[in-house]
Amino acid sequence: GHEYLQEDILFHLEIAKASHNTALNTLIHLITPEIIGIYDQDSICDREEALSKIKEHEDIFLAIKAGDADLAKEKMDFHFSRLKDYLKGLD
């Protein structure tokens, strides 16, 4: 539900903030309202998938904490794979 969405968005906002990359931080803030709008129109994540995404968040966090940029990128790419597929379907 919306609690999951809020936590998901906060996680990504914190990652962007921690990157100290102003372009990434700005981009995340720009697309957040669009993501919320898409979620309101078409729930793209059921409860079971939400639990899976939480595990993906944990994997991303642990890779960052370990200082493994390549693993963090790999985990983030995997995390966004379903969203990328969903967005392709909107074309």
Side-chain angles (χ1 to χ4, degrees):
H2 285 281
E3 290 177 15
Y4 166 76
L5 178 62
Q6 181 180 2
E7 292 297 323
D8 183 64
I9 289 171
L10 288 173
F11 175 80
H12 292 281
L13 289 171
E14 286 300 316
I15 296 287
K17 181 180 171 184
S19 75
H20 302 289
N21 180 326
T22 56
L24 177 62
N25 200 24
T26 300
L27 177 63
I28 292 293
H29 280 86
L30 286 172
I31 66 171
T32 294
E34 185 70 23
I35 292 169
I36 292 169
I38 289 170
Y39 190 89
D40 283 341
Q41 291 174 5
D42 184 11
S43 182
I44 60 173
C45 189
D46 61 23
R47 180 168 174 72
E48 186 175 313
E49 188 167 353
L51 294 174
S52 172
K53 295 297 181 188
I54 291 168
K55 173 67 172 115
E56 291 173 21
H57 283 178
E58 183 179 0
D59 292 345
I60 294 164
F61 170 76
L62 292 173
I64 292 169
K65 184 177 178 183
D68 191 335
D70 291 335
L71 181 60
K73 181 186 181 310
E74 177 185 317
K75 296 295 183 180
M76 190 65 85
D77 284 345
F78 179 79
H79 180 64
F80 281 127
S81 63
R82 185 161 186 272
L83 178 61
K84 290 176 190 176
D85 292 342
Y86 175 83
L87 293 174
K88 286 178 187 175
L90 295 178
D91 292 339

